Amino acid sequence: MEGDLKKIGAKYDPIKLQSKMIQPDMMWTEGDKPAVAISVTVTLPSGESFTGTPIFADDFTVSLREADGTYRSFTRHKDVPRVEIKNRLQAHLDQLMHYSDADIHNLTAYLVTLK
């Protein structure tokens, strides 16, 4: 077998492998750069936007840390500024709801054989 799952059974023990499927890491490395699953983009009425890792968000305030380390905080009033929160793992998390316990165990058993 080639591709992303090549030798995954040798890389992780069954418990760790199943854990990674059910509760994936929210941070990882892509090449030499850190990556995070959740990002937030705040767009001001002027059109200027800021994107980063969310620190805090509720109906009144949203704060984030940009890739360069800059901290930004914005006061919210209804839908201003516009706030978009993206989770790169959302499709994965949504799909998990469609699997039974047996499906997860069978998939884990199969992946463990990929050595």
Side-chain angles (χ1 to χ4, degrees):
M1 173 163 219
E2 298 294 324
D4 292 339
L5 297 176
K6 184 179 180 182
K7 298 183 181 180
I8 195 165
K11 187 175 181 179
Y12 301 109
D13 65 73
I15 293 171
K16 182 71 171 177
L17 187 58
Q18 189 167 329
S19 175
K20 285 187 162 291
M21 288 187 293
I22 295 170
Q23 296 177 324
D25 295 333
M26 299 303 277
M27 298 180 75
W28 60 90
T29 303
E30 291 179 352
D32 61 344
K33 296 182 180 179
V36 294
I38 300 175
S39 66
V40 62
T41 299
V42 176
T43 305
L44 304 177
S46 66
E48 185 177 17
S49 66
F50 304 90
T51 300
T53 303
I55 304 296
F56 180 81
D58 66 10
D59 291 339
F60 309 103
T61 306
V62 62
S63 59
L64 59 92
R65 185 158 319 274
E66 294 179 304
D68 67 1
T70 303
Y71 173 85
R72 298 199 183 267
S73 182
F74 304 89
T75 301
R76 299 176 73 183
H77 180 70
K78 297 185 181 179
D79 293 334
V80 178
R82 186 171 54 134
V83 176
E84 295 176 81
I85 298 176
K86 295 180 184 172
N87 184 341
R88 293 174 59 184
L89 298 176
Q90 193 59 54
H92 170 80
L93 297 171
D94 292 344
Q95 191 61 36
L96 280 175
M97 297 298 127
H98 299 286
Y99 298 138
S100 68
D101 285 348
D103 292 334
I104 296 293
H105 291 292
N106 290 337
L107 178 58
T108 302
Y110 169 71
L111 292 174
V112 167
T113 69
L114 302 178
K115 296 191 181 212

